[in-house]
Amino acid sequence: MENYSESHVLSEREKLSVLTGRNEPGADYPKDKYVYELFDSRGEDFRLKERSMASPKNRRLDLFSEKESKARYYVRHFPALFSRAKNEFLYDVSGNKYIDFLSGAGALNYGHNNPIIKKELIKYLRNDGIIHSLDKATEAKERFINEFCKTILAPRGYDHKIQFTGPTGTNAVEAALKLARMAKKRASVMAFTKGYHGNTLGALAVTANDYYKNDFFCMANGTVFMPYDQYLGPDVNTIGHLKKYLEDSGSGIALPAAVILETIQGEGGINVAGRKWLQDLSALCRDHDILLIIDDIQVGNGRTGTFFSFEDYGIVPDIVVVSKSIGGGLPFSFVLMKPELDVWKPGQHTGTFRGNNLAFVAGAAILRKYWRDGAFSDSIAKKSAYLKRSLEEIKGDHSGLGIQIRGKGLIYGLEFKDKAFAAAVSRKCFQKNLVVETCGTQDETLKILPPLTIGQDALEKGAGIIKNAVLEIKNGKKS
Ligand code: PMP
């Protein structure tokens, strides 16, 4: 039991963990093949600790610890040299097969190397289709816009316009914040506790977690944080707080141009906003002439079961930020805005890589295949029900661990009473060939994010690995 709780103060010996050998997900690693650093996820000075022993192939990881900046993150958590991937499986150079419950942090909802995307991309490249075009008109872009309007916007009755931004989520968030401020001619923006919106300075200003911040970054002011749903406990409707602050001229808070939020906070710990809370927030925004920006970067694209995470709640955001899976794993982001908000001057939020033509091709293929009818949503609902049941079984088996389950669709979080437990489970899972990360300000929540296209077999196997890992960590086996 005590091993896991020391994960941030491991001895030199404990920092070395033994793994590898050719094996399948679910099997334990044979010992003594490869020693690597068991890192501190907060990136303390563990440079050059990843070392290989037996296999020359594994020595190839040394390159990353020697030459890549300390900023590297996921490689510390999942120290393998990956080479191939197919749908829900990843393979490393030694031929080990892993089940992927991380899905590129939400960029691979449609799986790795989805055959539909692959086929279209190969065809496009064979034809010498345009790859780079700044924001000139291309056929690939034309097809994407037509498909998006026909398959996504029109059936939902949305008349939003599309702004293609730089390819990262955080760039699209920057654009959304700038636009809201310009449209409303107000400097302030309201954000929420535990929210995450990216790491460029404007997006960082509305991100709550201190870890990413630094006083020397000169982050834009003009952000005020308010309590998210449930932040003050299950019985407090925090919309009442917002209302009070907005309506009291003595609150010290200026009327914001916009509120920005995720409907489920992905990085912040899988905190799920309730239907009523979202509806109340939307009404409050309307009453006070504040724009509602939904950052659907992580939980859009079917992650919660519907294309947009908010579409079942009867709210229509003024601005929506879309990224991650919309490019089928290729970098691609855009902002949707109600037409009257489109106050940009030409090229005012310019950028060299606005509109990635390969991602347009991939995106159009995805929309055609998965979103023209309700079959994909139905399949997500079935997988979701299975995943939820298996997590509830784990909770039922271990009442002493104080487990909380939060989530929807195929994004679920398991929080344990002991804050260090989830990280230990994640490490144990990786030893058993399951890639699953943690989230929350203290990494206290195991974040379960399989591709939406995952097969039932792999879903069951992955859930089984988590179950065994929890048991083993509880029983005090070394992670
Ligand atoms: N917003 C949300 C909700 C996210 O989950 C992320 C990425 N985790 C971002 C913004 C930033 O996206 P990117 O990493 O592509 O800049």
mmCIF file of all heavy atoms in Angstrom, residues 74 104-105 167-173 195-200 203 207 261-262 264-267 295-299 321 323-324 333 447, ligand 1:
data_model
loop_
_atom_site.group_PDB
_atom_site.id
_atom_site.type_symbol
_atom_site.label_atom_id
_atom_site.label_comp_id
_atom_site.label_asym_id
_atom_site.label_seq_id
_atom_site.Cartn_x
_atom_site.Cartn_y
_atom_site.Cartn_z
ATOM 1 N N TYR A 74 4.657 13.103 -21.989
ATOM 2 C CA TYR A 74 4.061 11.769 -22.097
ATOM 3 C C TYR A 74 5.110 10.665 -22.214
ATOM 4 O O TYR A 74 4.885 9.545 -21.762
ATOM 5 C CB TYR A 74 3.083 11.705 -23.277
ATOM 6 C CG TYR A 74 1.820 12.493 -23.032
ATOM 7 C CD1 TYR A 74 1.571 13.686 -23.691
ATOM 8 C CD2 TYR A 74 0.869 12.041 -22.106
ATOM 9 C CE1 TYR A 74 0.420 14.413 -23.444
ATOM 10 C CE2 TYR A 74 -0.288 12.772 -21.859
ATOM 11 C CZ TYR A 74 -0.499 13.962 -22.535
ATOM 12 O OH TYR A 74 -1.647 14.674 -22.280
ATOM 13 N N GLY A 104 -4.497 10.042 -27.922
ATOM 14 C CA GLY A 104 -3.924 11.352 -28.255
ATOM 15 C C GLY A 104 -4.611 12.472 -27.494
ATOM 16 O O GLY A 104 -4.837 13.555 -28.038
ATOM 17 N N ALA A 105 -4.951 12.217 -26.237
ATOM 18 C CA ALA A 105 -5.660 13.197 -25.395
ATOM 19 C C ALA A 105 -6.920 13.721 -26.095
ATOM 20 O O ALA A 105 -7.285 14.885 -25.953
ATOM 21 C CB ALA A 105 -4.728 14.339 -24.997
ATOM 22 N N PRO A 167 -3.329 25.471 -36.288
ATOM 23 C CA PRO A 167 -3.791 24.097 -36.105
ATOM 24 C C PRO A 167 -3.926 23.604 -34.665
ATOM 25 O O PRO A 167 -4.476 22.528 -34.437
ATOM 26 C CB PRO A 167 -2.727 23.275 -36.841
ATOM 27 C CG PRO A 167 -1.498 24.115 -36.802
ATOM 28 C CD PRO A 167 -1.959 25.534 -36.822
ATOM 29 N N THR A 168 -3.446 24.347 -33.689
ATOM 30 C CA THR A 168 -3.563 23.847 -32.313
ATOM 31 C C THR A 168 -4.840 24.361 -31.657
ATOM 32 O O THR A 168 -5.350 25.428 -32.021
ATOM 33 C CB THR A 168 -2.371 24.311 -31.447
ATOM 34 O OG1 THR A 168 -2.353 25.745 -31.457
ATOM 35 C CG2 THR A 168 -1.060 23.766 -31.968
ATOM 36 N N GLY A 169 -5.297 23.612 -30.678
ATOM 37 C CA GLY A 169 -6.483 24.032 -29.948
ATOM 38 C C GLY A 169 -6.285 25.390 -29.310
ATOM 39 O O GLY A 169 -7.171 26.257 -29.350
ATOM 40 N N THR A 170 -5.117 25.583 -28.748
ATOM 41 C CA THR A 170 -4.876 26.814 -28.003
ATOM 42 C C THR A 170 -4.918 28.042 -28.931
ATOM 43 O O THR A 170 -5.344 29.117 -28.529
ATOM 44 C CB THR A 170 -3.541 26.710 -27.213
ATOM 45 O OG1 THR A 170 -3.483 27.714 -26.225
ATOM 46 C CG2 THR A 170 -2.320 26.784 -28.101
ATOM 47 N N ASN A 171 -4.523 27.868 -30.194
ATOM 48 C CA ASN A 171 -4.608 28.989 -31.131
ATOM 49 C C ASN A 171 -6.062 29.356 -31.414
ATOM 50 O O ASN A 171 -6.420 30.534 -31.519
ATOM 51 C CB ASN A 171 -3.869 28.661 -32.432
ATOM 52 C CG ASN A 171 -3.776 29.872 -33.333
ATOM 53 O OD1 ASN A 171 -4.675 30.137 -34.127
ATOM 54 N ND2 ASN A 171 -2.710 30.651 -33.182
ATOM 55 N N ALA A 172 -6.905 28.342 -31.510
ATOM 56 C CA ALA A 172 -8.331 28.611 -31.739
ATOM 57 C C ALA A 172 -8.951 29.286 -30.509
ATOM 58 O O ALA A 172 -9.816 30.160 -30.639
ATOM 59 C CB ALA A 172 -9.052 27.313 -32.081
ATOM 60 N N VAL A 173 -8.495 28.882 -29.328
ATOM 61 C CA VAL A 173 -8.993 29.535 -28.106
ATOM 62 C C VAL A 173 -8.585 31.013 -28.103
ATOM 63 O O VAL A 173 -9.384 31.896 -27.771
ATOM 64 C CB VAL A 173 -8.469 28.812 -26.834
ATOM 65 C CG1 VAL A 173 -8.735 29.630 -25.576
ATOM 66 C CG2 VAL A 173 -9.100 27.426 -26.715
ATOM 67 N N GLY A 195 -10.661 24.766 -15.052
ATOM 68 C CA GLY A 195 -10.776 24.764 -16.512
ATOM 69 C C GLY A 195 -9.409 24.688 -17.168
ATOM 70 O O GLY A 195 -8.397 25.112 -16.597
ATOM 71 N N TYR A 196 -9.374 24.131 -18.380
ATOM 72 C CA TYR A 196 -8.130 24.073 -19.155
ATOM 73 C C TYR A 196 -8.433 24.486 -20.586
ATOM 74 O O TYR A 196 -9.326 23.922 -21.220
ATOM 75 C CB TYR A 196 -7.523 22.663 -19.153
ATOM 76 C CG TYR A 196 -6.220 22.606 -19.923
ATOM 77 C CD1 TYR A 196 -5.007 22.839 -19.284
ATOM 78 C CD2 TYR A 196 -6.210 22.358 -21.293
ATOM 79 C CE1 TYR A 196 -3.814 22.831 -19.988
ATOM 80 C CE2 TYR A 196 -5.019 22.353 -22.005
ATOM 81 C CZ TYR A 196 -3.823 22.583 -21.351
ATOM 82 O OH TYR A 196 -2.645 22.579 -22.056
ATOM 83 N N HIS A 197 -7.671 25.456 -21.090
ATOM 84 C CA HIS A 197 -7.943 25.924 -22.446
ATOM 85 C C HIS A 197 -6.691 26.066 -23.300
ATOM 86 O O HIS A 197 -6.772 26.578 -24.409
ATOM 87 C CB HIS A 197 -8.705 27.259 -22.396
ATOM 88 C CG HIS A 197 -10.005 27.142 -21.660
ATOM 89 N ND1 HIS A 197 -11.106 26.504 -22.187
ATOM 90 C CD2 HIS A 197 -10.370 27.537 -20.408
ATOM 91 C CE1 HIS A 197 -12.100 26.524 -21.303
ATOM 92 N NE2 HIS A 197 -11.685 27.142 -20.217
ATOM 93 N N GLY A 198 -5.545 25.637 -22.803
ATOM 94 C CA GLY A 198 -4.347 25.684 -23.628
ATOM 95 C C GLY A 198 -3.239 26.481 -22.987
ATOM 96 O O GLY A 198 -3.415 27.077 -21.920
ATOM 97 N N ASN A 199 -2.090 26.497 -23.652
ATOM 98 C CA ASN A 199 -0.876 27.017 -23.023
ATOM 99 C C ASN A 199 -0.280 28.280 -23.636
ATOM 100 O O ASN A 199 0.772 28.725 -23.216
ATOM 101 C CB ASN A 199 0.184 25.917 -22.967
ATOM 102 C CG ASN A 199 0.191 25.238 -21.612
ATOM 103 O OD1 ASN A 199 1.235 24.832 -21.121
ATOM 104 N ND2 ASN A 199 -0.971 25.141 -20.974
ATOM 105 N N THR A 200 -0.899 28.840 -24.673
ATOM 106 C CA THR A 200 -0.425 30.159 -25.111
ATOM 107 C C THR A 200 -0.984 31.193 -24.131
ATOM 108 O O THR A 200 -1.898 30.883 -23.361
ATOM 109 C CB THR A 200 -0.904 30.454 -26.540
ATOM 110 O OG1 THR A 200 -2.301 30.189 -26.618
ATOM 111 C CG2 THR A 200 -0.160 29.591 -27.548
ATOM 112 N N ALA A 203 -4.839 31.925 -23.762
ATOM 113 C CA ALA A 203 -5.550 30.709 -23.330
ATOM 114 C C ALA A 203 -5.142 30.333 -21.908
ATOM 115 O O ALA A 203 -5.956 29.874 -21.106
ATOM 116 C CB ALA A 203 -5.261 29.564 -24.299
ATOM 117 N N THR A 207 -6.969 29.452 -18.071
ATOM 118 C CA THR A 207 -6.709 28.100 -17.553
ATOM 119 C C THR A 207 -6.441 28.227 -16.057
ATOM 120 O O THR A 207 -5.710 29.125 -15.634
ATOM 121 C CB THR A 207 -5.499 27.483 -18.302
ATOM 122 O OG1 THR A 207 -5.892 27.227 -19.650
ATOM 123 C CG2 THR A 207 -5.003 26.208 -17.660
ATOM 124 N N LEU A 261 -15.890 27.958 -21.131
ATOM 125 C CA LEU A 261 -15.886 26.736 -20.316
ATOM 126 C C LEU A 261 -15.922 25.480 -21.168
ATOM 127 O O LEU A 261 -16.260 25.522 -22.350
ATOM 128 C CB LEU A 261 -17.072 26.728 -19.353
ATOM 129 C CG LEU A 261 -18.444 26.456 -19.964
ATOM 130 C CD1 LEU A 261 -19.350 25.817 -18.927
ATOM 131 C CD2 LEU A 261 -19.078 27.743 -20.476
ATOM 132 N N GLU A 262 -15.550 24.377 -20.522
ATOM 133 C CA GLU A 262 -15.741 23.040 -21.085
ATOM 134 C C GLU A 262 -16.985 22.462 -20.414
ATOM 135 O O GLU A 262 -17.191 22.678 -19.222
ATOM 136 C CB GLU A 262 -14.558 22.138 -20.736
ATOM 137 C CG GLU A 262 -13.197 22.662 -21.116
ATOM 138 C CD GLU A 262 -12.127 22.183 -20.123
ATOM 139 O OE1 GLU A 262 -11.558 21.108 -20.343
ATOM 140 O OE2 GLU A 262 -11.878 22.884 -19.129
ATOM 141 N N ILE A 264 -17.430 19.279 -19.990
ATOM 142 C CA ILE A 264 -16.766 18.327 -19.087
ATOM 143 C C ILE A 264 -15.306 18.741 -19.060
ATOM 144 O O ILE A 264 -14.671 18.843 -20.111
ATOM 145 C CB ILE A 264 -16.868 16.864 -19.587
ATOM 146 C CG1 ILE A 264 -18.325 16.408 -19.645
ATOM 147 C CG2 ILE A 264 -16.046 15.930 -18.694
ATOM 148 C CD1 ILE A 264 -18.522 14.976 -20.130
ATOM 149 N N GLN A 265 -14.794 19.007 -17.875
ATOM 150 C CA GLN A 265 -13.416 19.467 -17.786
ATOM 151 C C GLN A 265 -12.479 18.272 -17.906
ATOM 152 O O GLN A 265 -12.411 17.423 -17.006
ATOM 153 C CB GLN A 265 -13.194 20.196 -16.464
ATOM 154 C CG GLN A 265 -14.051 21.467 -16.355
ATOM 155 C CD GLN A 265 -13.819 22.206 -15.066
ATOM 156 O OE1 GLN A 265 -13.685 21.595 -13.997
ATOM 157 N NE2 GLN A 265 -13.806 23.538 -15.136
ATOM 158 N N GLY A 266 -11.782 18.214 -19.033
ATOM 159 C CA GLY A 266 -10.936 17.052 -19.321
ATOM 160 C C GLY A 266 -9.673 17.036 -18.489
ATOM 161 O O GLY A 266 -9.444 16.121 -17.693
ATOM 162 N N GLU A 267 -8.842 18.067 -18.653
ATOM 163 C CA GLU A 267 -7.575 18.086 -17.906
ATOM 164 C C GLU A 267 -7.827 18.347 -16.417
ATOM 165 O O GLU A 267 -7.053 17.939 -15.570
ATOM 166 C CB GLU A 267 -6.632 19.167 -18.461
ATOM 167 C CG GLU A 267 -6.328 19.062 -19.948
ATOM 168 C CD GLU A 267 -5.769 17.717 -20.356
ATOM 169 O OE1 GLU A 267 -5.066 17.076 -19.554
ATOM 170 O OE2 GLU A 267 -6.049 17.281 -21.495
ATOM 171 N N ASP A 295 -15.636 25.562 -25.126
ATOM 172 C CA ASP A 295 -14.411 24.934 -25.621
ATOM 173 C C ASP A 295 -14.705 23.434 -25.719
ATOM 174 O O ASP A 295 -14.699 22.719 -24.725
ATOM 175 C CB ASP A 295 -13.271 25.237 -24.632
ATOM 176 C CG ASP A 295 -11.976 24.515 -24.993
ATOM 177 O OD1 ASP A 295 -12.014 23.601 -25.835
ATOM 178 O OD2 ASP A 295 -10.937 24.864 -24.410
ATOM 179 N N ASP A 296 -14.995 23.001 -26.954
ATOM 180 C CA ASP A 296 -15.368 21.594 -27.166
ATOM 181 C C ASP A 296 -14.186 20.798 -27.747
ATOM 182 O O ASP A 296 -14.382 19.778 -28.400
ATOM 183 C CB ASP A 296 -16.566 21.528 -28.140
ATOM 184 C CG ASP A 296 -17.673 20.600 -27.627
ATOM 185 O OD1 ASP A 296 -17.731 20.357 -26.406
ATOM 186 O OD2 ASP A 296 -18.471 20.101 -28.452
ATOM 187 N N ILE A 297 -13.005 21.304 -27.492
ATOM 188 C CA ILE A 297 -11.793 20.722 -28.084
ATOM 189 C C ILE A 297 -11.617 19.259 -27.671
ATOM 190 O O ILE A 297 -11.363 18.401 -28.513
ATOM 191 C CB ILE A 297 -10.557 21.569 -27.679
ATOM 192 C CG1 ILE A 297 -10.599 22.915 -28.412
ATOM 193 C CG2 ILE A 297 -9.261 20.827 -27.950
ATOM 194 C CD1 ILE A 297 -9.506 23.889 -28.014
ATOM 195 N N GLN A 298 -11.773 18.981 -26.389
ATOM 196 C CA GLN A 298 -11.528 17.615 -25.920
ATOM 197 C C GLN A 298 -12.783 16.748 -25.907
ATOM 198 O O GLN A 298 -12.710 15.546 -26.140
ATOM 199 C CB GLN A 298 -10.892 17.628 -24.526
ATOM 200 C CG GLN A 298 -10.491 16.257 -24.074
ATOM 201 C CD GLN A 298 -9.401 16.193 -23.023
ATOM 202 O OE1 GLN A 298 -9.284 15.214 -22.321
ATOM 203 N NE2 GLN A 298 -8.581 17.215 -22.880
ATOM 204 N N VAL A 299 -13.925 17.357 -25.610
ATOM 205 C CA VAL A 299 -15.115 16.506 -25.438
ATOM 206 C C VAL A 299 -16.101 16.623 -26.600
ATOM 207 O O VAL A 299 -17.197 16.085 -26.532
ATOM 208 C CB VAL A 299 -15.808 16.760 -24.075
ATOM 209 C CG1 VAL A 299 -14.898 16.332 -22.939
ATOM 210 C CG2 VAL A 299 -16.241 18.200 -23.905
ATOM 211 N N VAL A 321 -15.334 26.280 -29.850
ATOM 212 C CA VAL A 321 -13.972 25.995 -30.302
ATOM 213 C C VAL A 321 -13.857 24.496 -30.582
ATOM 214 O O VAL A 321 -14.182 23.674 -29.726
ATOM 215 C CB VAL A 321 -12.922 26.429 -29.249
ATOM 216 C CG1 VAL A 321 -11.533 26.382 -29.872
ATOM 217 C CG2 VAL A 321 -13.218 27.816 -28.718
ATOM 218 N N SER A 323 -11.423 21.321 -32.220
ATOM 219 C CA SER A 323 -10.048 20.943 -32.580
ATOM 220 C C SER A 323 -9.877 19.443 -32.397
ATOM 221 O O SER A 323 -10.829 18.684 -32.587
ATOM 222 C CB SER A 323 -9.058 21.739 -31.710
ATOM 223 O OG SER A 323 -7.740 21.442 -32.061
ATOM 224 N N LYS A 324 -8.669 19.032 -32.024
ATOM 225 C CA LYS A 324 -8.322 17.626 -31.775
ATOM 226 C C LYS A 324 -8.868 16.682 -32.835
ATOM 227 O O LYS A 324 -8.392 16.697 -33.954
ATOM 228 C CB LYS A 324 -8.763 17.215 -30.373
ATOM 229 C CG LYS A 324 -7.954 17.957 -29.273
ATOM 230 C CD LYS A 324 -7.824 17.168 -28.013
ATOM 231 C CE LYS A 324 -7.292 17.941 -26.841
ATOM 232 N NZ LYS A 324 -5.962 17.592 -26.398
ATOM 233 N N SER A 333 -7.848 23.050 -36.345
ATOM 234 C CA SER A 333 -8.717 23.730 -35.373
ATOM 235 C C SER A 333 -9.537 24.794 -36.062
ATOM 236 O O SER A 333 -9.092 25.381 -37.050
ATOM 237 C CB SER A 333 -7.877 24.462 -34.319
ATOM 238 O OG SER A 333 -7.068 23.571 -33.617
ATOM 239 N N LYS A 447 -7.770 8.921 -16.035
ATOM 240 C CA LYS A 447 -8.591 9.440 -17.133
ATOM 241 C C LYS A 447 -8.713 8.389 -18.238
ATOM 242 O O LYS A 447 -7.731 8.043 -18.882
ATOM 243 C CB LYS A 447 -7.922 10.699 -17.673
ATOM 244 C CG LYS A 447 -8.640 11.381 -18.783
ATOM 245 C CD LYS A 447 -7.788 12.572 -19.161
ATOM 246 C CE LYS A 447 -8.309 13.343 -20.303
ATOM 247 N NZ LYS A 447 -7.328 14.347 -20.731
HETATM 248 N N1 PMP B 1 -8.889 23.207 -24.566
HETATM 249 C C1 PMP B 1 -9.124 21.980 -24.097
HETATM 250 C C2 PMP B 1 -10.424 21.680 -23.444
HETATM 251 C C3 PMP B 1 -8.143 20.977 -24.205
HETATM 252 O O1 PMP B 1 -8.386 19.772 -23.699
HETATM 253 C C4 PMP B 1 -6.928 21.291 -24.831
HETATM 254 C C5 PMP B 1 -5.835 20.239 -24.973
HETATM 255 N N2 PMP B 1 -5.772 19.301 -23.978
HETATM 256 C C6 PMP B 1 -6.740 22.573 -25.328
HETATM 257 C C7 PMP B 1 -7.744 23.509 -25.178
HETATM 258 C C8 PMP B 1 -5.458 22.962 -26.010
HETATM 259 O O2 PMP B 1 -5.309 22.308 -27.219
HETATM 260 P P1 PMP B 1 -3.843 22.160 -27.841
HETATM 261 O O3 PMP B 1 -3.075 21.276 -26.921
HETATM 262 O O4 PMP B 1 -4.068 21.532 -29.183
HETATM 263 O O5 PMP B 1 -3.289 23.508 -27.958
#
